Amino acid sequence: MMTAPQARPAVPPVVSPATAPEPAPLLDVRGLTISYGNARGTLRAASDVSFAIRPGEVMGLVGESGSGKSTVAMAILDLLGGGGRVDSGEILFDGVDLRRLSPSERRALRGDRIAAVFQDPFTSLNPALTVGHQIAEPLIQHKGLSPRQAAARVQDLLAEVGIRDPRRVAAAYPHELSGGMQQRALIATALGCEPKLLILDEPTTALDVTVEARIIDLLAKLCDSHRLSALFVSHNLGIVNRICQTVTVLYGGVVVETGATGRVLSRPAHPYAKGLVAALPRITAERRHRLPSIPGTVAKLSGAPAACVFAPRCPFAEETCRSQPQAMLTDGGGDGVRCWKADALAGTPWPDEDAGKARGPKAAQPRSAPLVEVDHLRKIYGASRSILPWLRRAGTVAVEDVSFTVGRGEVVGVVGESGSGKSTIGRALLALTEPSAGTVTFDGADLTEQVRRGDQTLRRRAQLVFQNSAASLNPRKTVGAAMDRPLVLAGRADAEERRKTVASLLTRVGLPAAYADRYPHELSGGERQRVNIARALATDPDFVVCDEAVSALDVSVQANILNLLAELRDEMGLSYLFITHDIAVVSHIADRVLVVYGGTICEEGPIGRVLRPPYHPYTEALLSAVPRLAEDGQEAPRILLEDAAPAPGGRGCVFAGRCPRKLGTVCDEQAPPVHETADGHRIVCHIPLATLAERAAVFPELADGDTRH
Amino acid sequence: MFAYTLTRLVYLALVLAVMSVLIFLVTQAMPGDVASMIAGQFASKEVVDAIAVKLGLDQPLIVQYGHWAAGILRGDLGRSLVLEQPIGPILMEALARSLVLAVVALFVVAVVGIGLGVLAAVRRGKLTDQLVSGVSYLGIAVPDFFWAIVLVLVFGSYMKLLPTGGYAPIADGFLPWASHLVLPVITLVLMLLARIARLTRSSMIDVLQTNYVKFARAKGMPESVVILRHALKNALLPTITVLAIDFGLILGGVVVIETIFSYPGMGRLLLFAIQRHDLPLIQATILIVSAAYCLANLTADLLYAFVNPKIRHGMRAS
């Protein structure tokens, strides 16, 4: 059984200086317990969860995937699917317990007084209906508007969420809009009936950082101007820091800490919260630093917790933690922590695995003989020649004239938004797509030519790790069988020897050798990604392309995998092409970075140089969009880019349409010149290098932190 | 959309051209000699040769094909050797009757099958779902001629409610026309229902799990709107494809069913032509059946665009 909240003894009761009575919370969740049941048993997704959101307040609900945060949000909406049910507790909305209402009364509240925006805008809009129709639906349903009145209101709503062309967008089908526009349309839908509470379930997770920055900005503004309360479900502490006044941390379906955002993120009291904050990848110029990570996986409970849920992963755990359930310790200020050692641990940081084994920076690789050389690569998709004249198409340019090299043992980061062509570059380097023009040379040999001739030897030396760890593994094959395949293809005939290789590879990536007999669905996301890495290593490659390899993972696991990749590079001398949208992740692992936009490289250089001025205007915007915690220093003013604009058809700069520092027509009409410095830093921009260098650093703390270059 | 349709029509013409060559070659390879069949068993070689010259059978194959194809392009399908009539009107009459059967049966299958599929998906795992699956499987698991015979026995022979076979033109009045259609349509429906219901059910289950259905529910839409407006439209795509194939199937002649109910459609005509070795009739019938299949598929693809704006968009781009 959970024990009732107790006064926290070590903290003297705080006397609130304000005498005004605390306003009654708009949403008051009390003792909410939710479980999923099927024939095989029950899974407790939330245990005795309590929190309150006051009018006009935005509360963050954070935790790893599997912590129960989305389940709680769905329970408030009465949309628990798949056998989920609320076992006990109250959900008080405006003083009324929602659990006592009938299903149709709850439906009437949904979309009207409680509205929701979900994670993935690309799939949240119905592909068969116009956007305007979908925004109008709740207005007609809840407010009794006529279709004509609703259509007029839709235009206003779209304008309010920052869509400049409401008429066109309302008439469009979802696939005709960008992700950012789709998410704005969903926000407009949620705002339509002027709700009092917004449930935001990872509303920006699927978006590019530059778009995310704008959407968060919009949400913060709307919550402020409409005096909206919101429950903001997120795994991203940086985003929570930007928008939430209070935060509740969930672990294993249990609230482990709650309090004001600034306090929780700067001085987390619960060990789990400490771990989450520590594992967040921050912009750093110090590549050698290993990220702290939280070992193990999220706890799965079948009943009420019998001990501290976090104890199995907690570095501070003692015998008491493993034998007694923890009570919520609260102080007078509304802060609470479910850890009896919280006060003793105050000020103790999450253990840093790197402490004591700091290694000096690796000696710079001689850059004379690059492993991979990309020369004037160009890739056009969808071009077709046909005898029927109306079928001929020029195609879409994905990559336009890109040249770079990857040295032996070097990690080259490729950073850019979706659609920038970064994945196409990776695929071309593995000969998975044939370049339309240009060459890819691997260890001195023309890769495209070799593969065309049917010679697969180079392919064995270059491997790939994808983003979606589950979809990259065949669900019907065991881990061992999946890893055996590349070995067979590589001509390893002896089955016994192959089995030994598989076991040693699994051990190499930190998994028990017995995992060879498991199926992918029996593993966690992080474990599956380790298997994917192990499989990529099976043919003993020199070069691995990591295409968003850590993007889908929780921060704690992400840190883990990044550390593994860094270790493998150091020990096996691997080279990586590390493709990601997250510049903070790149700063932890890459030696050099290519910033790509619209299929071209707009800036490249050693990581330390790219993170410091002079910046390409696009790099500057990317860096300023990275969400940060208060303790990391003052946030620089954010540069908000327009939603993706079509690239100009002419020969000008591809970024001109969105560039906040555009000079004028010269940007549209002439190809930008290349500014190149001695240390290999290149910026492609019309703005003179001296002017670019005058800008203040986005991360002042890095200004002199880099000593390697 | 226009360009897309145009492209598809060009491909359709190509497919039919290739088909015509194949049909012509295959029928040439059939055993027996047309001229000697016409002349009869006891005709002299001179008579047979004279008939062959008259029919142009002495000329090289390519020339014969040229004559045949040119005739078709002019709208002349040739003359039936056995019936000694122009093929065009005979074929069109049979096609019209098959069309009636196809349209009525497909309409019933679509309405009932999609309805049952949606019902089963919404009540997934419950008794309704199992009942729909079970009953519709009975239709597919038992061969069609069995149902046909049972229906003929029950409604025709014992109850004497409906005619056991034949066809009445609509000119004879609606009731006689409709009463001749009931039993063949029921048999076809039993045969085709299971696939449509199962297909609709599974794609509906997929669609009901999508984010946009969850979001529609989060907007507070009533369940009926969620299912009919948000889910069904997206779930219908695979069903449309299969319905189009079924349409082509019935149009091309369902030989067994047409025979049992002595329904004078394309199936019976083809069977007749093959049995009597009427080469021009065989060729023309197969060609028309191929054309019917192609057109049914084209219709399905155009319907796709109607249902799915994304595909429509792709067509506009082409």
Side-chain angles (χ1 to χ4, degrees):
Chain A
M1 269 311 293
M2 289 261 131
T3 31
Q6 302 169 354
R8 199 169 159 189
V11 181
V14 179
V15 182
S16 175
T19 46
E22 181 99 330
L26 177 73
L27 180 75
D28 195 354
V29 174
R30 295 180 184 172
L32 194 63
T33 299
I34 305 165
S35 56
Y36 287 95
N38 59 21
R40 277 168 291 162
T42 55
L43 177 72
R44 180 78 76 94
S47 299
D48 196 22
V49 169
S50 303
F51 57 82
I53 303 177
R54 285 174 295 239
E57 186 178 75
V58 180
M59 190 197 86
L61 190 60
V62 300
E64 289 165 284
S65 47
S67 62
K69 52 194 195 307
S70 286
T71 300
V72 169
M74 288 306 132
I76 296 166
L77 289 166
D78 192 24
L79 288 177
L80 282 174
R85 60 166 198 282
V86 176
D87 295 325
S88 61
E90 294 175 320
I91 305 168
L92 297 171
F93 174 70
D94 230 359
V96 179
D97 186 1
L98 297 182
R99 288 193 64 211
R100 293 176 191 279
L101 301 181
S102 71
S104 66
E105 284 171 319
R106 293 196 71 174
R107 182 178 61 68
L109 279 180
R110 277 205 303 270
D112 186 15
R113 295 178 65 212
I114 304 176
V117 176
F118 296 143
Q119 172 166 12
D120 188 353
F122 307 97
T123 58
S124 289
L125 284 165
N126 191 326
L129 301 171
T130 64
V131 171
H133 180 102
Q134 297 186 58
I135 303 174
E137 271 185 334
L139 297 168
I140 297 167
Q141 177 71 28
H142 299 298
K143 297 290 180 218
L145 263 56
S146 70
R148 187 184 294 265
Q149 289 170 318
R153 175 100 175 92
V154 165
Q155 309 271 321
D156 297 342
L157 285 167
L158 284 173
E160 188 175 1
V161 296
I163 284 177
R164 264 175 295 168
D165 193 359
R167 197 174 294 273
R168 183 184 72 79
V169 169
Y173 284 96
H175 69 270
E176 298 170 281
L177 305 180
S178 68
M181 298 261 265
Q182 290 183 0
Q183 195 60 300
R184 281 167 199 270
L186 289 168
I187 293 169
T189 318
L191 289 178
C193 295
E194 297 183 340
K196 297 178 98 174
L197 176 67
L198 273 183
I199 308 282
L200 304 166
D201 190 357
E202 306 260 10
T204 58
T205 305
L207 302 172
D208 280 316
V209 274
T210 55
V211 182
E212 177 180 64
R214 282 186 64 105
I215 295 286
I216 290 298
D217 214 52
L218 171 72
L219 283 171
K221 249 182 240 158
L222 289 171
C223 286
D224 199 41
S225 61
H226 291 247
R227 284 211 30 87
L228 273 168
S229 303
L231 175 68
F232 192 93
V233 177
S234 181
H235 70 280
N236 188 330
L237 298 177
I239 294 286
V240 164
N241 185 42
R242 275 193 185 169
I243 191 168
C244 300
Q245 285 93 51
T246 59
V247 63
T248 296
V249 184
L250 271 186
Y251 180 79
V254 175
V255 175
V256 293
E257 181 160 359
T258 182
T261 308
R263 200 280 298 159
V264 174
L265 297 188
S266 59
R267 280 174 290 118
H270 194 279
Y272 178 59
K274 288 177 199 263
L276 276 187
V277 171
L280 191 71
R282 293 171 171 83
I283 290 281
T284 170
E286 202 42 62
R287 195 198 72 180
R288 290 286 117 189
H289 189 76
R290 278 172 58 95
L291 274 165
S293 61
I294 307 175
T297 51
V298 163
K300 286 189 169 64
L301 302 178
S302 55
C308 172
V309 279
F310 188 58
R313 294 173 74 187
C314 181
F316 314 110
E318 293 179 23
E319 198 41 49
T320 324
C321 305
R322 296 186 192 98
S323 57
Q324 281 178 22
Q326 297 293 305
M328 197 73 181
L329 309 172
T330 52
D331 68 6
D335 282 13
V337 56
R338 200 182 288 276
C339 177
W340 66 282
K341 289 179 76 179
D343 288 314
L345 290 173
T348 311
W350 186 261
D352 188 344
E353 296 160 43
D354 218 20
K357 42 177 189 172
R359 279 167 278 187
K362 199 169 50 167
Q365 292 282 336
R367 306 226 47 231
S368 52
L371 181 65
V372 181
E373 238 179 314
V374 178
D375 192 29
H376 297 291
L377 177 72
R378 189 176 149 89
K379 177 68 193 177
I380 298 171
Y381 283 116
S384 73
R385 280 181 269 180
S386 170
I387 48 159
L388 302 176
W390 60 84
L391 287 185
R392 283 175 208 150
R393 247 164 286 170
T396 314
V397 178
V399 175
E400 176 77 69
D401 196 18
V402 161
S403 307
F404 64 93
T405 58
V406 181
R408 285 167 206 281
E410 189 183 39
V411 180
V412 173
V414 180
V415 187
E417 294 172 303
S418 49
S420 59
K422 56 190 193 302
S423 287
T424 305
I425 294 174
R427 294 174 62 83
L429 261 58
L430 296 172
L432 291 175
T433 182
E434 201 170 314
S436 306
T439 53
V440 177
T441 315
F442 190 93
D443 206 6
D446 187 328
L447 182 62
T448 323
E449 196 48 50
Q450 286 231 345
V451 169
R452 205 179 285 151
R453 284 205 317 262
D455 185 350
Q456 303 287 331
T457 43
L458 288 184
R459 272 215 173 126
R460 259 169 231 147
R461 299 177 55 193
Q463 292 291 326
L464 178 64
V465 179
F466 281 117
Q467 170 169 18
N468 191 330
S469 63
S472 325
L473 289 168
N474 186 339
R476 280 172 225 191
K477 274 190 175 177
T478 60
V479 164
M483 291 174 58
D484 189 48
R485 188 77 193 132
L487 293 174
V488 172
L489 287 176
R492 308 270 288 271
D494 184 354
E496 185 52 39
E497 185 225 310
R498 288 203 308 270
R499 197 157 33 243
K500 278 188 190 140
T501 311
V502 167
S504 77
L505 284 167
L506 284 172
T507 317
R508 187 72 210 75
V509 297
L511 291 175
Y515 269 40
D517 297 325
R518 295 208 183 179
Y519 284 91
H521 71 265
E522 296 173 289
L523 310 183
S524 72
E527 287 171 337
R528 276 197 299 261
Q529 201 59 302
R530 284 171 186 267
V531 170
N532 282 318
I533 293 168
R535 181 174 58 176
L537 298 179
T539 55
D540 201 13
D542 308 305
F543 178 57
V544 179
V545 172
C546 300
D547 193 350
E548 300 276 12
V550 299
S551 306
L553 303 171
D554 280 310
V555 278
S556 56
V557 185
Q558 191 179 46
N560 233 305
I561 299 290
L562 277 176
N563 292 342
L564 170 67
L565 288 170
E567 265 167 38
L568 292 173
R569 173 209 44 208
D570 291 347
E571 288 164 23
M572 304 172 68
L574 288 177
S575 305
Y576 296 127
L577 187 75
F578 201 88
I579 299 168
T580 178
H581 66 280
D582 190 341
I583 202 163
V585 163
V586 151
S587 75
H588 277 275
I589 190 155
D591 301 289
R592 281 192 309 129
V593 183
L594 317 175
V595 181
V596 291
Y597 184 86
T600 62
I601 297 175
C602 60
E603 177 166 358
E604 80 169 284
I607 179 73
R609 296 289 287 118
V610 172
L611 293 174
R612 280 184 289 147
Y615 301 121
H616 187 279
Y618 177 62
T619 314
E620 190 179 6
L622 265 187
L623 288 171
S624 84
V626 174
R628 326 179 55 200
L629 302 186
E631 57 159 24
D632 296 340
Q634 201 62 40
E635 273 209 30
R638 282 196 292 286
I639 299 161
L640 297 177
L641 292 182
E642 297 295 317
D643 286 352
R651 14 181 130 255
C653 171
V654 283
F655 187 54
R658 292 173 78 191
C659 184
R661 301 184 67 185
K662 187 177 164 183
L663 295 174
T665 48
V666 62
C667 294
D668 291 325
E669 286 162 6
Q670 284 176 35
V674 181
H675 309 297
E676 191 160 2
T677 61
D679 51 7
H681 188 205
R682 290 155 53 95
I683 298 178
V684 184
C685 187
H686 280 292
I687 303 171
L689 201 58
T691 318
L692 288 173
E694 283 164 14
R695 295 289 274 217
V698 179
F699 304 105
E701 68 271 24
L702 299 184
D704 45 17
D706 186 65
T707 51
R708 289 182 296 135
H709 300 282
Chain B
M1 187 80 192
F2 173 73
Y4 175 79
T5 317
L6 200 64
T7 313
R8 289 298 308 265
L9 284 172
V10 171
Y11 285 141
L12 188 121
L14 278 174
V15 167
L16 288 179
V18 172
M19 273 307 293
S20 72
V21 174
L22 287 177
I23 292 166
F24 192 80
L25 289 178
V26 167
T27 45
Q28 291 302 320
M30 284 172 78
D33 172 14
V34 177
S36 50
M37 274 196 45
I38 291 173
Q41 223 172 334
F42 308 106
S44 65
K45 190 172 182 305
E46 288 71 34
V47 177
V48 173
D49 285 346
I51 294 174
V53 170
K54 194 180 148 214
L55 291 176
L57 296 179
D58 57 333
Q59 299 193 5
L61 267 188
I62 185 131
V63 177
Q64 290 188 42
Y65 172 77
H67 280 304
W68 181 64
I72 290 167
L73 288 180
R74 283 196 313 272
D76 173 16
L77 291 169
R79 276 182 77 83
S80 162
L81 299 178
V82 179
L83 299 172
E84 299 188 325
Q85 284 173 25
I87 289 172
I90 306 172
L91 205 55
M92 286 309 130
E93 215 177 315
L95 188 66
R97 295 191 203 112
S98 278
L99 200 63
V100 167
L101 195 62
V103 168
V104 176
L106 256 288
F107 179 77
V108 177
V109 166
V111 171
V112 178
I114 292 171
L116 286 178
V118 170
L119 196 69
V122 173
R123 324 255 327 142
R124 183 186 182 188
K126 305 215 171 100
L127 187 66
T128 328
D129 181 21
Q130 286 158 5
L131 223 59
V132 168
S133 302
V135 171
S136 61
Y137 259 116
L138 212 59
I140 211 170
V142 179
D144 48 357
F145 62 82
F146 174 81
W147 291 121
I149 293 165
V150 168
L151 288 169
V152 166
L153 284 176
V154 173
F155 291 98
S157 303
Y158 296 134
M159 298 168 75
K160 299 203 189 306
L161 278 176
L162 294 163
T164 56
Y167 173 81
I170 197 150
D172 294 0
F174 178 76
L175 262 180
W177 172 77
S179 67
H180 281 90
L181 281 174
V182 173
L183 293 185
V185 164
I186 292 178
T187 315
L188 279 172
V189 168
L190 283 173
M191 184 175 102
L192 303 174
L193 191 65
R195 211 165 7 149
I196 297 297
R198 298 289 298 182
L199 199 63
T200 309
R201 174 186 179 271
S202 65
S203 63
M204 192 71 185
I205 283 172
D206 287 346
V207 171
L208 283 176
Q209 284 164 345
T210 58
N211 274 335
Y212 55 84
V213 164
K214 187 166 102 176
F215 191 67
R217 288 191 174 129
K219 289 195 291 191
M221 294 292 111
E223 203 53 21
S224 58
V225 174
V226 171
I227 287 160
L228 295 179
R229 191 191 292 162
H230 284 270
L232 185 58
K233 210 176 169 192
N234 290 291
L236 276 184
L237 292 182
T239 311
I240 289 175
T241 313
V242 172
L243 279 175
I245 294 171
D246 287 348
F247 191 76
L249 186 84
I250 306 178
L251 215 54
V254 268
V255 178
V256 174
I257 290 176
E258 286 186 18
T259 307
I260 293 174
F261 293 105
S262 23
Y263 191 90
M266 292 294 279
R268 284 234 300 166
L269 185 66
L270 186 60
L271 195 64
F272 170 82
I274 293 170
Q275 281 169 345
R276 307 298 287 273
H277 214 86
D278 192 341
L279 278 194
L281 190 57
I282 296 174
Q283 290 167 345
T285 312
I286 297 179
L287 190 65
I288 295 297
V289 168
S290 314
Y293 255 109
C294 292
L295 278 174
N297 269 316
L298 177 60
T299 314
D301 288 351
L302 295 180
L303 264 178
Y304 255 49
F306 178 73
V307 175
N308 188 334
K310 208 165 175 175
I311 294 175
R312 205 182 311 158
H313 184 80
M315 289 175 184
R316 213 178 299 147
S318 68

